[in-house]
């Protein structure tokens, strides 16, 4: 049994004294202890070495005592396992030297054996669960098929992922076959993560908001729905779509346990669109952590009042930024722990 089960109870929609709190990208570059490890080991070495990945995962927990940990890894380990080369270039971000732009490129993309190619993630989960010692739950994650496709086709980050959209609109057959291959791999991967010990999973659709509502259904949501269908009876699933407030109504019917929202959607509108019954997670503007600790605490309290303490998980609306002072992140977590109705 997990000692602090606030997060799991919020996912079930149970009544709680205060909502649980964690931060997307909480294991990251704003933490000096993370930077120390980052200086010594390159990105994928950190991901592939269970001792390092588990240590990085628990760093923010030791410092702040969040109510859930999220495994240190990356969404791009999936294309890597599918035989698509992925580099993490310092001061640049992800770089895929051979992007997928045609049927010929797609032919080299495989659906991998998960234990063989991603067994190191399962080892990292086991090592992390040992370190967490049943104190708090551990979240596993994957990118949405659409968000993974964005990187596979574009070959790097982008403001508008124009090449990814171009493939979808000029060669939908190739786009859909790639999306289906990613979906099949992701389902097997998340099932293995649950077997290895994660207590919930989150799907990051970081670039879903690039699509029109109609295209979102066709190129993103239907694949996320397949993943939810395959996982929902094994573990709680959180679906986070950045900029996807327009799809909240559909998402609320999906079988997901919670929906992530970003800061462009008010609490009231998110509750209205999602029908008022499903657990919501979010949605503090990550840049707002640059305000003073005092202002952060006031704003977090107000955010909880707006969402309501039940069926709610306090989080940012996207990942924490590298330039956030450690004491400001502390104020965010403390405000939630000090919350009184
Ligand atoms: O949340 C956590 O603390 C767990 C770890 C985590 C990482 N990436 C570690 C990471 C998670 C959940 C991710 C998810 C991820 N990766 C997403 C979806 C979430 C989001 O923010 O939208 C995306 C789009 C990626 C792809 C990716 N990985 C990018 C664009 C970058 C470079 C940009 C950046 O922030 O530096 C990465 C690298 C990466 N993944 C870093 C970390 C801590 C920073 C680089 C490093 O540590 O060397």
């Amino acid at each position: 049994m997990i000692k602090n089960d606030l997060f799991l109870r919020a996912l079930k929609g149970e009544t709680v004294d205060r909502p649980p709190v964690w931060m997307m990208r909480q294991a990251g570059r704003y933490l000096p202890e993370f930077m120390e490890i980052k200086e010594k080991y390159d990105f994928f070495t950190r991901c592939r070495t269970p001792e390092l990945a588990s240590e990085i995962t628990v760093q923010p927990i030791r410092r702040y005592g969040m109510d859930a940990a999220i495994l240190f890894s990356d969404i791009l380990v999936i294309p890597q396992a599918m035989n698509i080369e992925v580099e993490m270039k310092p001061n640049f971000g992800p770089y895929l030297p051979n992007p997928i732009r045609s049927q010929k490129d797609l032919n080299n993309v495989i659906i991998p054996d998960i234990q063989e190619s991603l067994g190191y993630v399962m080892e990292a989960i086991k090592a992390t669960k040992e370190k967490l010692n049943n104190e708090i739950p551990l979240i596993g994650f994957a990118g949405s098929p659409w968000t993974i496709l964005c990187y596979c086709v574009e070959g790097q980050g982008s403001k508008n992922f124009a090449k990814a959209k171009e493939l979808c609109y000029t060669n939908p057959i190739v786009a859909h076959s790639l999306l289906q291959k990613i979906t099949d791999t992701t389902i097997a991967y998340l099932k293995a993560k649950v077997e290895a010990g994660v207590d919930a999973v989150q799907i990051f659709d970081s670039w879903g908001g690039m699509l029109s509502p109609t295209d979102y259904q066709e190129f993103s949501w239907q694949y996320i729905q397949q993943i939810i269908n395959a996982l929902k009876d094994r573990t709680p699933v959180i679906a986070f779509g950045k900029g996807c407030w327009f799809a909240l109504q559909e998402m609320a019917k999906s079988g997901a346990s919670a929906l992530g929202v970003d800061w462009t959607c008010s609490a009231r509108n998110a509750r209205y669109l999602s029908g008022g019954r499903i657990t919501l997670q979010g949605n503090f503007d990550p840049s707002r952590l640059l305000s003073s600790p005092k202002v952060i605490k006031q704003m977090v309290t107000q955010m909880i009042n707006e969402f309501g303490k039940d069926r709610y998980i306090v989080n940012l609306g996207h990942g924490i930024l590298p330039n956030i002072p450690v004491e400001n992140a502390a104020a965010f977590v403390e405000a939630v722990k000090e919350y009184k109705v």
Side-chain angles (χ1 to χ4, degrees):
M1 267 302 289
I2 290 175
K3 285 175 206 144
N4 171 355
D5 61 353
L6 261 188
F7 173 74
L8 298 174
R9 286 170 55 206
L11 285 172
K12 285 190 202 139
E14 291 177 12
T15 302
V16 288
D17 292 336
R18 63 156 177 95
V21 57
W22 67 282
M23 293 188 289
M24 289 192 271
R25 295 285 195 102
Q26 63 192 21
R29 289 170 297 177
Y30 70 108
L31 285 179
E33 55 271 36
F34 175 90
M35 294 309 284
E36 236 175 77
I37 296 187
K38 182 178 152 82
E39 270 159 35
K40 290 196 209 130
Y41 307 95
D42 69 61
F43 185 75
F44 285 112
T45 303
R46 277 175 275 147
C47 291
R48 287 168 180 271
T49 313
E51 181 44 40
L52 293 176
S54 59
E55 170 60 24
I56 295 170
T57 302
V58 301
Q59 280 178 344
I61 311 302
R62 276 193 209 117
R63 195 185 259 272
Y64 301 119
M66 289 92 168
D67 299 302
I70 179 160
L71 185 74
F72 177 78
S73 183
D74 201 80
I75 61 169
L76 298 175
V77 301
I78 285 288
Q80 208 171 45
M82 296 175 75
N83 200 30
I84 303 172
E85 202 179 324
V86 181
E87 299 165 24
M88 198 58 76
K89 285 196 178 179
N91 306 318
F92 179 82
Y95 181 66
L96 296 74
N98 307 303
I100 310 302
R101 307 257 168 92
S102 65
Q103 179 65 49
K104 192 165 153 275
D105 299 332
L106 183 66
N107 292 342
N108 298 321
V109 176
I110 61 161
I111 296 177
D113 179 291
I114 298 296
Q115 288 307 333
E116 210 173 281
S117 53
L118 293 159
Y120 65 88
V121 179
M122 311 315 147
E123 294 310 312
I125 291 170
K126 289 174 193 156
T128 307
K129 286 293 285 185
E130 264 179 45
K131 286 196 174 131
L132 290 174
N133 196 24
N134 279 332
E135 293 289 340
I136 52 167
L138 176 64
I139 306 167
F141 67 90
S144 76
W146 159 252
T147 291
I148 299 294
L149 174 141
C150 281
Y151 288 99
C152 293
V153 175
E154 205 80 30
Q156 59 186 63
S158 160
K159 279 207 165 57
N160 52 14
F161 287 97
K163 292 193 182 77
K165 287 174 135 182
E166 183 183 341
L167 181 80
C168 291
Y169 307 151
T170 60
N171 202 341
I173 293 176
V174 168
H176 280 297
S177 338
L178 177 56
L179 287 165
Q180 193 59 55
K181 280 188 176 181
I182 298 167
T183 302
D184 295 347
T185 305
T186 302
I187 288 173
Y189 175 58
L190 289 177
K191 282 183 178 173
K193 279 183 152 175
V194 174
E195 288 279 301
V198 300
D199 302 287
V201 297
Q202 173 157 323
I203 301 162
F204 284 89
D205 196 5
S206 304
W207 306 119
M210 297 278 145
L211 296 166
S212 74
T214 310
D215 287 331
Y216 185 72
Q217 290 300 324
E218 178 175 351
F219 293 103
S220 187
W221 180 253
Q222 61 160 318
Y223 296 99
I224 296 177
Q225 181 70 70
Q226 286 185 40
I227 298 171
I228 296 170
N229 289 348
L231 268 297
K232 69 177 171 42
D233 294 334
R234 297 167 191 246
T235 197
V237 181
I238 305 169
F240 166 67
K242 171 86 180 26
C244 299
W245 58 270
F246 56 79
L248 283 173
Q249 193 181 6
E250 176 95 22
M251 290 169 139
K253 293 183 280 187
S254 64
S257 292
L259 305 177
V261 274
D262 69 48
W263 61 96
T264 62
C265 186
S266 67
R268 192 175 163 178
N269 203 19
R271 284 286 182 212
Y272 170 73
L273 292 169
S274 62
R277 294 228 292 271
I278 192 164
T279 297
L280 296 177
Q281 174 178 280
N283 68 345
F284 205 72
D285 178 350
S287 298
R288 264 291 174 188
L289 288 182
L290 291 166
S291 295
S292 69
K294 187 165 167 248
V295 171
I296 292 169
K297 284 192 169 187
Q298 284 166 351
M299 291 184 77
V300 170
T301 307
Q302 191 181 340
M303 179 171 78
I304 301 172
N305 287 337
E306 285 171 10
F307 275 97
K309 73 169 172 64
D310 293 322
R311 298 174 200 257
Y312 178 45
I313 298 164
V314 179
N315 206 317
L316 307 173
H318 201 187
I320 190 167
L321 303 166
N323 60 343
I324 299 303
V326 285
E327 58 276 19
N328 293 23
F332 183 80
V333 177
E334 276 165 23
V336 185
K337 292 192 163 182
E338 291 162 5
Y339 185 82
K340 297 248 165 23
V341 196

